Amino acid sequence: MNYPNGRRSPSRHAAPQGKTKPEFSNRGMTLEEDINLTNEYYLQAGLAVIHKKPTPVQIVQVDYPKRSAAVIKEAYFKQASTTDYNGVYRGRYIDFEAKETKNKTSFPLSNVHQHQVDHMKAVEKHGGISFFIIKFTPRDEVYLLPSSMLFAFWDDQQNGGRKSIPYNSIYKEGVRIPFRYQARIDYAGVLDKLYF
């Protein structure tokens, strides 16, 4: 972008000064933004209908300085949210949670909540597909982790076991999701291999 004073904005892909090796760890987007773009591509291409779930909020107080400009002054979460995304792919209901971690060696289970695990267990019980998409930000790697694998670590943690899932376990038992141009986090291809 050119500014009026003649300066140019830095390219978001420009390498920091002093580095000779290109770095891809910060593409300028979060995991959620990448998944939203992927879901939009899937919808436009007629592959799937997947949407981010809205967080249920109870509005308590609204000010109306002008009729056309309402301002929410106070609001509360109605209930604990379940998972981030749900929809239909190839005739099956899918439901998943997306998480990023700055940890390089493990995924902390503190990023997951009991009500999410309970919800995903119910989805699986009724024949749906549930999973986690986990991004290890320092490694710039994204994995699809079937919920059944997470359940095993979750239940073990409840009985005094590890409070995290080791990166090596996710690397071996999860499936790395490729980064693509249009379907940035192309998880549908991974679902094809695992469930269809």
Side-chain angles (χ1 to χ4, degrees):
M1 171 178 237
N2 292 327
Y3 291 98
N5 62 8
R7 289 187 317 184
R8 299 182 70 141
S9 64
S11 165
R12 65 173 211 210
H13 298 289
Q17 289 184 345
K19 285 198 174 195
T20 55
K21 189 168 107 176
E23 196 167 299
F24 299 103
S25 63
N26 186 0
R27 292 190 180 99
M29 302 195 87
T30 65
L31 176 62
E32 183 178 300
E33 289 169 325
D34 282 337
I35 291 172
N36 291 343
L37 286 173
T38 300
N39 290 341
E40 190 176 309
Y41 171 76
Y42 289 165
L43 184 63
Q44 296 299 321
L47 298 173
V49 179
I50 312 293
H51 294 288
K52 180 156 177 46
K53 294 181 192 174
T55 304
V57 175
Q58 173 70 48
I59 297 172
V60 177
Q61 181 184 355
V62 181
D63 284 350
Y64 295 94
K66 292 194 275 184
R67 185 174 174 91
S68 63
V71 177
I72 297 171
K73 292 291 189 178
E74 188 176 356
Y76 300 97
F77 294 114
K78 279 186 182 178
Q79 62 193 32
S81 156
T82 52
T83 51
D84 290 332
Y85 296 90
N86 70 343
V88 179
Y89 176 63
R90 293 183 63 179
R92 297 277 305 272
Y93 175 78
I94 68 167
D95 197 298
F96 68 95
E97 179 73 14
K99 298 286 188 186
E100 290 186 72
T101 182
K102 293 181 179 176
N103 195 319
K104 204 173 184 178
T105 59
S106 65
F107 173 72
L109 288 169
S110 60
N111 289 345
V112 181
H113 304 284
Q114 183 67 54
H115 65 272
Q116 292 174 317
V117 172
D118 293 342
H119 172 75
M120 295 177 102
K121 284 182 177 180
V123 167
E124 294 278 321
K125 179 182 174 185
H126 289 281
I129 297 170
S130 68
F131 55 93
F132 279 78
I133 292 180
I134 299 172
K135 180 175 184 179
F136 285 90
T137 306
R139 296 176 178 273
D140 197 27
E141 295 175 2
V142 179
Y143 291 88
L144 187 146
L145 185 67
S147 58
S148 57
M149 182 183 164
L150 181 120
F151 298 159
F153 279 95
W154 183 264
D155 293 344
D156 189 48
Q157 171 201 234
Q158 302 301 315
N159 297 316
R162 287 185 61 108
K163 296 188 183 312
S164 64
I165 304 174
Y167 167 80
N168 288 340
S169 295
I170 294 172
Y171 177 81
K172 289 175 188 168
E173 298 177 46
V175 180
R176 188 162 177 191
I177 302 173
F179 184 86
R180 302 200 193 288
Y181 176 69
Q182 289 180 314
R184 298 174 73 88
I185 306 294
D186 193 11
Y187 63 88
V190 177
L191 294 177
D192 288 341
K193 291 177 187 171
L194 293 176
Y195 298 99
F196 297 97

